[in-house]
């Protein structure tokens, strides 16, 4: 039997080692089953991993940071955590709590985090109430310890390089194709052949400009980020502390004008103190302050780059700069303008402009001014624990409170500036400026403007009694009675965001083998009418620790094997958009009613919604089952979870259920109320594997996780004419559009086909007339894909050899559909032309065309959602590769420096997918970036 075990072990280990798809994290940071004995943070408590059943994953970030440096708290988590892809079980935005307080995940950096726990199942989140019904993410910051002072310093420098820029057509090609578009529309050309030749020749870029927003004239090929952090830990018997001071600064790739000064600076300070007054009174105090400043130009450079055409028919071309050496010496009027200008760039150029572009991104970049967004976040929380064993063994009381303030505002210097348009003439063999027209005036008030002031305040309090005891070393009993709530006030929002509940947890286990647990919460919500603001959320679960049975207790193969099932209902209000949906709503709607000839119009009030005092909570009804195992002393670990979740009672305004006279077109009014009617069902599973083995001096850890989810509409308020229009029974994220049959070849084909409108011409897209009525309209739209990806996965790999550690993280998705529908892909009217239009349809390219005919008209013929524009969103991402070297400890014995790590990494290195170029190209915004980092960490 022992030989068989060894044979199975060797074969399985080899298979895992050879298969990159099975990569998973090592014991230090695996989310499959944390090392037994380490406490896992849960809702209002912590527990040993062997006593946790289903719906929970934890990552030890403190250990992860030793081999994976990141700048965002949740970076690479899809590669580590089953059931997470930015959401938990694809349910929506999860509640994020930092040290038990609702806070932002991006306001805490990885270096100050100890662990992150992902709560997915209903039994794991119900105690938090409604706001956690999409799951919860618990971020726990580092604590001090009873030891001498320890100091560590980390420094990093990162290089960011753009992945891709949009490729727009140059001036001459744009003019040529724009003329073609006008001919397609039966219009005369907008540009002459001479115009096109002059722009194509490049002989005078000041007179015939060909602006490339993404050239080296305006952009650097990289930007930098610098970061430094210092940590301090220590303490004694009665107090321990952890402190961190961190600073980073990042700059911009813009390389002219105010763009060179763009950048972000962030200073953060944290202090956590744990106190021990005596054996039965302990407490803690946590504080954090973040100072954030972002300086940016006022040019709207990136958005203008996607809209500003190379030249405009009938208008002068925009020239960013006008060279002074091209102005005719005898042109006194022009030189007077030059000499009176406040802004002469580099002493050689005036700011260019035209009647159409009197203000433009280039001039604004140089002299328009700048803005600075300032944010200050102050966070404070404290708590006390009272051991009440003298009253009842195993009883304690815990209370905590928090106050967070977040303020932000924008300051700016806004300059008014003049721009100039040059008039050119050609004589004596060269082009000369013979006249200059001025637009606007140079004005600078020197006043610092303040705007966008905002404030957010969060208040939180909770109190709880905890009971935990074991009788006869067999019967384990636990109970928690919790009252908690928080409210958040945000500038501009009339009603505060609130959450309050009274929760109870009762758990029993027999001999650490059979587990039963009940969690219940009385939830309160101000979003409903009085009398309907409270509801009860019960969740029950059962667990069986099979490995503790006699037939497995001494197994040389199975270390841990657990099975659990859960069923419950959580009442939630996060799907209720706003307050007072239960009440009548009236609004003032102008002057349209007259009582007599003397008063032609008076202010009127119009009904916007009817009342429904019975509007109540949406119900999350969940069943989940899970299996978890650890084999061969932790060499192989695995988890599997299946879940089905019904979201019942989603609020809708079901006009189908009410007579038509309750809602009118003019005046636009409605007496239709909101009702709890909609229902969706989400079904899926997640799997996680982790394997680790040592080969001499080499230790390899691999892991993988995969999640599948699908969401279907079970009940929808709708009236449809055809079955294919139904949302009921279809995927929640169904993509609807037309089925494309290719291009219309000629007028004869158009005459015998269904069309969208009578402007259809050869080269337009042809669509399937699904209902055979001879017209293409919304009734012919069918499901052509899914917006979301039902399959998501992640993997990670760690190789350790002596002092070297290699870490690789990747993730991906499959089964989804994407659509090319931005201004880069959909070019019509007066939009800027991208290189994608080179594949346009013409009579000569009819057999090979990849793009509809060009048009200066609207886009309702070709630029609508259809499967012509869709593509698979399947993708694999190589998120990070890092190599770390930990210098030998013997080098630092009896030295001031106790340890030294150096590391290099690359982030967002690769995307393997279809349409990669398109997907890596940002349009109208700063580019996507790859980053390369060099870092060092020193322990003292």
């Amino acid at each position: 039997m022992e030989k068989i075990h060894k044979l199975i072990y060797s074969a399985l280990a080899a298979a895992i080692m050879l298969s990159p798809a099975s990569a998973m994290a090592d014991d230090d940071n695996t989310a499959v089953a944390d090392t037994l004995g380490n406490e896992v943070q849960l809702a209002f408590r912590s527990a040993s991993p062997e006593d946790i059943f289903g719906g929970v994953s934890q990552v030890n970030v403190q250990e992860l940071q030793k081999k994976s440096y990141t700048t965002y708290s949740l970076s690479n988590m899809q590669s580590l955590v089953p059931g997470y892809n930015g959401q938990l079980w694809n349910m929506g935005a999860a509640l994020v709590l930092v040290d038990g307080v609702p806070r932002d995940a991006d306001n805490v950096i990885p270096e100050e985090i100890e662990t992150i726990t992902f709560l997915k199942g209903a039994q794991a989140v119900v105690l938090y109430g409604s706001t956690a019904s999409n799951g919860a993410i618990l971020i726990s910051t580092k604590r001090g310890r009873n030891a001498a002072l320890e100091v560590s310093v980390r420094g990093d420098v990162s290089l960011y390089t753009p992945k891709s820029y949009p490729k727009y057509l140059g001036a001459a090609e744009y003019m040529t194709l724009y003329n073609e578009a006008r001919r397609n529309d039966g219009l005369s050309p907008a540009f002459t052949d001479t115009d096109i030749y002059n722009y194509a020749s490049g002989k005078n870029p000041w007179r015939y400009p060909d602006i490339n927003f993404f050239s080296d004239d305006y952009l650097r090929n990289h930007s930098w980020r610098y970061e430094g952090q210092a940590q301090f830990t220590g303490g004694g018997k009665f107090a321990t502390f952890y402190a961190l001071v961190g600073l980073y600064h990042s700059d911009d790739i813009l390389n002219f004008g105010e763009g060179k000064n763009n950048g972000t600076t962030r200073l953060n300070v944290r202090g956590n103190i744990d106190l021990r007054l005596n054996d039965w009174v302990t407490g803690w105090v946590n504080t954090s302050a973040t100072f954030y400043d972002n300086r940016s130009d006022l040019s709207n450079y990136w958005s203008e780059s996607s809209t500003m055409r190379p030249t405009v028919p009938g208008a002068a071309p925009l020239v960013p700069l006008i060279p002074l050496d091209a102005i005719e010496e005898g042109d006194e009027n022009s030189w007077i303008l030059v000499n009176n200008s406040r802004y002469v760039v580099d002493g050689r150029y005036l700011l260019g402009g035209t009647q159409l572009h009197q203000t433009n991104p280039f001039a604004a970049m140089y002299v328009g001014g700048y803005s600075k967004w300032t944010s200050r976040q102050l966070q404070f929380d404290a708590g006390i624990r009272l051991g009440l064993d003298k009253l009842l063994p195993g009883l304690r009381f815990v209370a905590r409170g928090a106050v967070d303030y977040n303020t932000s505002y924008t300051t700016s210097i806004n300059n008014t500036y003049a721009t100039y348009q040059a008039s050119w003439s050609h004589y004596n063999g060269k082009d000369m400026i013979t006249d200059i027209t001025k637009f606007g005036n140079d004005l600078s008030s020197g006043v610092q403007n303040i705007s966008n002031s905002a404030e957010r305040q969060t208040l939180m309090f909770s109190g709880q009694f905890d009971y935990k005891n074991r009788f006869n070393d067999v019967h384990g009993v636990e109970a928690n009675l919790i009252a908690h709530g928080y409210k958040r006030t945000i500038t501009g929002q009339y009603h505060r965001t609130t959450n309050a509940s009274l929760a109870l947890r009762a758990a029993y286990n027999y001999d650490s083998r059979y587990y039963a647990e009940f969690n219940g919460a009385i939830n309160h919500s101000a979003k409903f009418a009085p009398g309907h603001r409270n509801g009860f959320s019960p969740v029950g679960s059962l667990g069986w620790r099979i490995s503790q049975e006699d037939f497995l207790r001494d197994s040389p193969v199975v270390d841990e094997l657990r099975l659990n099932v859960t069923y419950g209902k959580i009442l939630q209000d996060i799907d209720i958009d706003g307050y007072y949906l239960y009440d009548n709503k009236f609004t003032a709607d102008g002057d349209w009613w007259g009582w007599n000839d003397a008063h032609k119009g008076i202010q009127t009030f119009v009904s916007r919604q009817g009342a429904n005092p019975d509007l109540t909570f949406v119900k999350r009804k969940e069943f989940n089952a899970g299996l978890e195992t650890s084999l061969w002393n932790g060499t192989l670990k695995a988890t599997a979870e299946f879940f089905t979740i019904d979201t019942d009672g989603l609020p809708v305004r079901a006009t189908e259920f009410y007579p038509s006279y309750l809602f009118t077109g003019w005046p636009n009014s409605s007496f239709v109320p909101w009702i709890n009617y909609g229902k969706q069902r989400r079904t899926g599973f997640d799997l996680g594997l982790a394997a680790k083995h040592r080969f001499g001096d080499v230790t390899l850890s691999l892991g993988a996780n995969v999640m599948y989810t699908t969401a279907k509409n079970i009940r929808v308020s709708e009236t449809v004419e055809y079955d294919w229009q139904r949302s009921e029974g279809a995927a929640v994220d169904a993509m609807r559009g037309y089925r494309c049959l290719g291009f219309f070849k000629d007028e004869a084909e158009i005459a015998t086909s269904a069309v969208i409108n009578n402007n259809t011409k050869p080269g337009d897209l042809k669509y399937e007339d699904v209902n055979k009525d001879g017209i293409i309209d919304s009734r012919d739209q069918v499901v052509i894909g899914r917006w979301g990806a039902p399959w998501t996965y992640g993997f990670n790999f760690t190789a350790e050899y002596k002092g070297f550690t290699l870490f690789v993280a990747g993730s991906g998705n499959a089964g989804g559909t994407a659509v090319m529908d931005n201004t880069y892909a959909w070019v019509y009217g007066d939009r800027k032309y991208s290189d994608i239009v080179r594949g346009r349809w013409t009579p000569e390219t009819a057999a090979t065309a990849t793009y509809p005919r060009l048009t200066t008209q609207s886009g309702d013929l070709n630029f609508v959602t259809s499967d012509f524009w869709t593509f698979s969103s399947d993708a694999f991402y190589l998120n990070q590769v890092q190599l770390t070297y930990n210098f030998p400890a013997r080098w630092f014995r009896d030295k001031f420096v106790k340890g030294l790590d150096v590391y290099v990494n690359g982030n967002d290195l690769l995307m393997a997918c279809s349409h990669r170029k398109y997907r890596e190209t940002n349009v109208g915004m700063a580019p996507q970036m790859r980053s390369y980092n060099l870092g060092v960490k020193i322990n003292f």
Side-chain angles (χ1 to χ4, degrees):
M1 181 64 71
E2 183 177 353
K3 290 183 179 180
I4 295 176
H5 288 161
K6 289 183 178 179
L7 182 61
I8 295 173
Y9 164 78
S10 299
L12 184 57
I16 294 171
M17 299 283 291
L18 293 173
S19 173
S22 64
M24 191 69 192
D26 62 22
D27 286 351
D28 291 332
N29 64 292
T30 176
V32 174
D34 199 58
T35 306
L36 295 181
N38 293 339
E39 291 284 297
V40 176
Q41 294 299 315
L42 300 170
F44 300 102
R45 67 188 180 98
S46 62
S48 298
E50 60 265 28
D51 293 328
I52 300 173
F53 288 83
V56 177
S57 301
Q58 178 166 290
V59 174
N60 189 326
V61 179
Q62 186 171 358
E63 294 299 319
L64 181 63
Q65 279 286 98
K66 295 178 180 178
K67 60 183 179 181
S68 171
Y69 165 79
T70 58
T71 59
Y72 173 54
S73 58
L74 299 178
S75 290
N76 298 333
M77 289 300 153
Q78 184 173 328
S79 67
L80 300 168
V81 179
Y84 177 76
N85 63 345
Q87 299 179 357
L88 295 168
W89 286 349
N90 265 345
M91 289 185 292
L95 173 68
V96 176
L97 299 108
V98 179
D99 292 330
V101 184
R103 288 168 175 160
D104 300 323
D106 59 1
N107 194 52
V108 55
I109 60 176
E111 188 65 14
E112 59 189 314
I113 298 174
E114 185 169 314
T115 62
I116 301 178
T117 307
F118 297 83
L119 306 182
K120 298 169 285 188
Q123 75 278 14
V125 301
V126 63
L127 299 181
Y128 283 122
S130 172
T131 54
S133 56
N134 287 340
I137 299 174
L138 312 185
I139 299 176
S140 301
T141 58
K142 293 178 180 177
R143 317 303 306 176
R145 58 178 181 165
N146 185 356
L149 175 66
E150 296 180 3
V151 180
S152 67
V153 177
R154 183 193 290 267
D156 291 270
V157 57
S158 300
L159 174 73
Y160 288 80
T161 61
K163 293 182 180 180
S164 178
Y165 290 116
K167 291 182 173 56
Y168 292 106
L169 303 188
E173 189 175 6
Y174 167 79
M175 296 162 76
T176 301
L177 295 188
Y178 191 79
N179 280 348
E180 178 183 311
R182 287 181 61 87
R183 287 194 297 270
N184 290 341
D185 297 330
L187 303 174
S188 60
F191 304 101
T192 67
D193 292 341
T194 302
D195 292 333
I196 296 173
Y197 170 78
N198 287 331
Y199 279 90
S201 67
K203 61 182 182 180
N204 186 349
W206 307 107
R207 185 176 184 181
Y208 306 108
D210 193 358
I211 300 172
N212 179 4
F213 278 80
F214 313 109
S215 74
D216 295 340
D217 295 334
Y218 309 116
L219 304 178
R220 293 184 294 164
N221 58 13
H222 65 274
S223 63
W224 295 97
R225 184 182 191 274
Y226 307 93
E227 182 171 22
Q229 299 159 354
Q231 299 180 84
F232 309 87
T233 59
K237 179 179 180 181
F238 295 103
T240 61
F241 67 89
Y242 167 80
L244 177 141
V245 178
L247 176 69
Y248 84 74
H249 176 77
S250 60
D251 58 21
D252 204 336
I253 59 173
L254 287 163
N255 197 34
F256 72 107
E258 281 294 340
K260 292 191 293 185
N261 301 318
N262 288 353
T264 299
T265 301
R266 181 184 188 271
L267 170 67
N268 65 291
V269 180
R270 172 173 293 279
N272 295 343
I273 299 175
D274 292 282
L275 303 169
R276 179 177 179 271
L277 183 62
N278 52 43
D279 290 340
W280 62 281
V281 180
T282 61
W284 71 92
V285 177
N286 301 328
T287 59
S288 174
T290 304
F291 306 89
Y292 186 99
D293 295 289
N294 174 260
R295 175 171 171 150
S296 59
D297 60 84
L298 298 177
S299 70
N300 295 322
Y301 186 85
W302 297 111
S303 61
E304 293 280 1
S305 72
S306 65
T307 59
M308 185 174 288
R309 292 179 285 171
T311 185
V312 178
L318 173 66
V319 182
L321 298 173
I322 298 175
L324 301 186
D325 58 8
I327 300 175
E328 189 176 26
E329 292 184 7
D331 185 1
E332 295 182 4
N333 291 333
S334 294
W335 282 108
I336 290 174
L337 292 176
V338 172
N339 294 328
N340 288 330
S341 173
R342 293 186 57 184
Y343 304 115
V344 178
V345 179
D346 296 335
R348 301 168 55 194
Y349 305 101
L350 285 179
L351 298 173
T354 68
Q355 182 70 38
L356 184 63
H357 298 109
Q358 296 184 26
T359 59
N360 60 78
F362 300 97
M365 184 70 78
Y366 280 111
V367 299
Y370 65 90
S371 69
K372 185 171 73 170
W373 183 74
T374 299
S375 172
R376 303 289 184 257
Q377 295 196 40
L378 302 176
Q379 300 176 346
F380 173 87
D381 63 274
I384 187 171
R385 303 181 190 90
L386 302 178
L388 304 178
D389 293 89
K390 293 183 179 180
L391 296 177
L392 178 66
L395 181 66
R396 73 171 185 174
F397 174 76
V398 182
R400 72 187 73 201
V403 180
D404 291 357
Y405 287 97
N406 181 0
T407 61
S408 62
Y409 58 91
T410 300
T411 56
S412 63
I413 299 294
N414 301 80
N415 296 328
T416 301
Y417 54 87
T419 57
Y420 304 85
Q421 178 180 318
S423 298
W424 294 80
S425 295
H426 185 82
Y427 59 91
N428 294 332
K430 63 178 182 179
D431 292 336
M432 296 294 294
I433 296 175
T434 58
D435 188 34
I436 291 178
T437 302
K438 179 183 177 182
F439 304 104
N441 294 294
D442 295 324
L443 296 173
S444 179
S445 67
V447 175
Q448 186 180 65
N449 302 295
I450 300 177
S451 60
N452 301 323
S453 295
E455 180 179 312
R456 187 181 72 183
Q457 179 194 76
T458 302
L459 301 176
M460 189 279 295
F461 175 81
S462 70
Q464 64 189 79
F465 284 97
D466 300 333
Y467 176 76
K468 184 175 183 179
N469 212 336
R470 196 166 189 85
F471 301 93
N472 299 326
D473 202 31
V474 174
H475 304 284
V477 178
E478 295 183 37
N480 309 90
L481 179 63
I482 306 157
H484 74 100
Y486 74 88
K487 64 178 181 180
R488 176 169 287 169
T489 305
I490 302 175
T491 300
Q493 294 186 14
Y494 172 75
H495 204 291
R496 289 188 290 262
T497 300
T498 59
N499 180 69
S501 64
L502 178 65
L504 171 68
R505 172 180 174 267
Y508 170 80
N509 77 77
Y510 176 78
D511 197 25
S512 297
R513 283 186 288 170
Y514 310 114
Y515 291 76
E517 183 173 320
F518 173 81
N519 291 272
I522 299 175
N523 299 332
H524 174 81
S525 175
K527 292 183 177 181
F528 308 115
H532 295 79
R533 292 178 173 176
N534 300 314
F536 184 62
S537 300
V539 179
S541 60
L542 299 173
W544 180 21
R545 197 173 173 195
I546 306 173
S547 53
Q548 292 299 103
E549 298 290 355
D550 292 339
F551 59 86
L552 278 180
R553 192 186 300 270
D554 298 320
S555 170
V557 177
V558 179
D559 318 318
E560 191 73 29
L561 181 61
R562 288 179 284 173
L563 176 68
N564 70 277
V565 293
T566 296
Y567 181 77
K569 176 180 68 176
I570 298 179
L571 303 183
Q572 63 185 58
D573 66 355
I574 58 176
D575 292 307
I576 308 294
D577 187 15
Y579 293 82
Y580 307 109
L581 267 65
Y582 62 87
D583 207 351
N584 291 302
K585 183 181 292 185
F586 291 86
T587 61
D589 197 43
D591 301 336
W592 58 267
W593 180 266
W595 289 100
N596 55 49
D597 293 338
H599 296 85
K600 296 181 179 179
I602 62 173
Q603 187 72 48
T604 59
F605 290 90
V606 174
S607 174
R608 295 304 187 193
Q609 83 183 23
N612 175 17
D614 293 327
L615 187 72
T616 187
F617 291 92
V618 179
K619 303 173 183 65
R620 167 183 167 175
K621 301 175 182 177
E622 175 183 323
F623 170 80
N624 70 61
L627 181 69
E628 184 173 353
T629 187
S630 174
L631 307 175
W632 294 295
N633 295 319
T635 299
L636 178 65
K637 297 179 180 180
T639 63
E641 294 208 49
F642 167 81
F643 56 88
T644 178
I645 302 170
D646 283 358
T647 305
D648 194 2
L650 291 166
V652 298
R653 301 186 73 186
T655 55
E656 293 79 13
F657 299 160
Y658 295 89
S660 60
Y661 53 78
L662 290 182
F663 48 95
T664 63
W666 192 90
N668 182 15
S669 61
S670 176
F671 289 91
V672 176
W674 291 90
I675 64 173
N676 297 104
Y677 184 78
K679 182 178 181 180
Q680 298 174 352
R681 176 168 298 158
R682 189 176 312 277
T683 304
F685 62 85
D686 68 57
L687 305 173
L689 294 174
K692 182 176 182 178
H693 189 62
R694 186 178 183 89
F695 300 88
D697 291 333
V698 178
T699 301
L700 300 180
S701 304
L702 302 99
N705 62 77
V706 62
M707 175 176 65
Y708 173 81
T709 60
T710 182
K712 184 170 67 172
N713 290 311
I714 303 300
R715 187 169 58 240
V716 177
S717 170
E718 60 184 347
T719 299
V720 297
E721 189 174 353
Y722 303 102
D723 286 342
W724 61 80
Q725 294 178 286
R726 290 190 181 280
S727 294
E728 189 167 291
V732 171
D733 60 348
M735 178 189 294
R736 296 180 180 273
Y738 298 110
R739 293 192 189 120
C740 183
L741 305 178
F743 299 105
F744 280 112
K745 294 178 291 187
D746 49 41
E747 296 288 354
E749 185 179 15
I750 294 172
T752 59
S753 302
V755 296
I756 289 181
N757 61 46
N758 293 329
N759 293 325
T760 303
K761 296 181 179 180
D764 287 329
L765 295 179
K766 180 180 180 180
Y767 306 110
E768 180 180 353
D769 183 12
V770 179
N771 66 347
K772 309 300 181 184
D773 65 352
I775 301 172
I776 300 298
D777 56 23
S778 61
R779 293 176 295 180
D780 297 302
Q781 293 184 354
V782 297
V783 175
I784 57 175
R786 292 181 55 173
W787 290 104
W791 292 94
T792 57
Y793 59 89
F795 84 94
N796 62 81
F797 167 78
T798 303
E800 301 172 77
Y801 174 72
K802 296 185 177 179
F804 291 95
T805 301
L806 175 67
F807 177 76
V808 181
S811 61
N813 54 265
T817 307
V819 59
M820 300 172 63
D821 60 357
N822 60 11
T823 58
Y824 190 78
W826 286 7
V827 179
Y828 56 87
D830 59 359
R831 290 185 174 183
K832 193 170 183 176
Y833 282 14
S834 65
D835 62 348
I836 197 171
V837 305
R838 289 172 177 158
R840 71 203 179 280
W841 186 97
T842 66
E844 295 75 23
T845 64
T848 59
T850 58
Y851 197 82
R853 70 177 178 95
L854 299 181
T855 179
T856 61
Q857 306 301 312
S858 65
D860 57 351
L861 288 169
N862 302 310
F863 303 103
V864 292
T865 303
S866 73
D867 56 10
F868 179 85
W869 300 106
T870 61
F871 60 92
S872 170
S873 64
D874 297 1
F876 166 76
Y877 306 90
L878 183 58
N879 302 122
Q880 186 181 62
V881 176
Q882 178 168 316
L883 180 63
T884 304
Y885 180 65
N886 179 252
F887 285 83
R890 65 179 183 274
W891 291 12
F892 306 103
R893 289 174 186 162
D894 302 322
K895 300 291 193 305
F896 177 68
V897 175
K898 303 300 182 184
L900 175 63
D901 296 347
V902 295
Y903 50 91
V904 292
N905 66 38
N907 298 276
D908 297 321
L909 296 174
L910 173 69
M911 176 193 286
C913 62
S914 65
H915 292 70
R916 181 182 63 83
K917 175 184 173 183
Y918 175 81
R919 297 172 69 175
E920 288 189 340
T921 301
N922 283 352
V923 177
M925 63 186 71
Q928 301 175 40
M929 295 283 196
R930 294 184 178 88
S931 67
Y932 307 90
N933 182 79
L934 172 64
V936 59
K937 184 174 183 179
I938 306 173
N939 297 319
F940 299 94

